[in-house]
């Protein structure tokens, strides 16, 4: 009698983290500071864009300083959502 065992390796798929949970640039969770801020207590707020994608303020500022204007995730023009 042959028992068919499903190989879980083929069933398990890579799951993308929700963009709300981690920075789309450095991939660090928002509960941790960005790679530039290794000292605990550094002010590293989260910046929310109008496209609803969120990044560490330092990560998105560096991204925009490099002459880019689009959101790294959805390629729409990035605008800060100040509300
Ligand atoms: Zn980041
Ligand atoms: Zn930072
Ligand atoms: Zn976006």
């Amino acid at each position: 009698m042959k028992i068919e065992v499903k190989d879980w390796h083929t069933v398990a798929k890579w799951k993308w983290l929700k963009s709300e949970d981690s920075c789309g640039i450095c991939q660090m969770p928002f509960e941790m500071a960005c790679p530039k801020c290794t000292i605990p207590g550094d002010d590293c707020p989260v910046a929310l864009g109008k496209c609803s994608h969120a990044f560490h303020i330092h990560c998105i500022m560096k991204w925009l300083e490099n002459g880019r204007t689009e959101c790294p995730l959805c390629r729409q023009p990035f605008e800060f959502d100040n509300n």
Side-chain angles (χ1 to χ4, degrees), residues 50-55 71-76 78:
K50 286 195 171 154
C51 59
S52 84
H53 289 128
F55 311 94
C71 170
L73 291 182
C74 66
R75 304 279 161 186
Q76 292 181 66
F78 187 84

Side-chain angles (χ1 to χ4, degrees), residues 30 34 43-47 55-62 80:
F30 285 129
C34 78
D43 193 17
C44 193
V46 174
F55 311 94
H56 294 112
I57 186 72
H58 299 134
C59 291
I60 192 64
M61 288 311 285
K62 197 178 173 207
F80 288 102

Side-chain angles (χ1 to χ4, degrees), residues 1-7:
M1 185 174 162
K2 201 179 170 191
I3 301 169
E4 209 174 294
V5 181
K6 241 186 184 179
D7 184 0

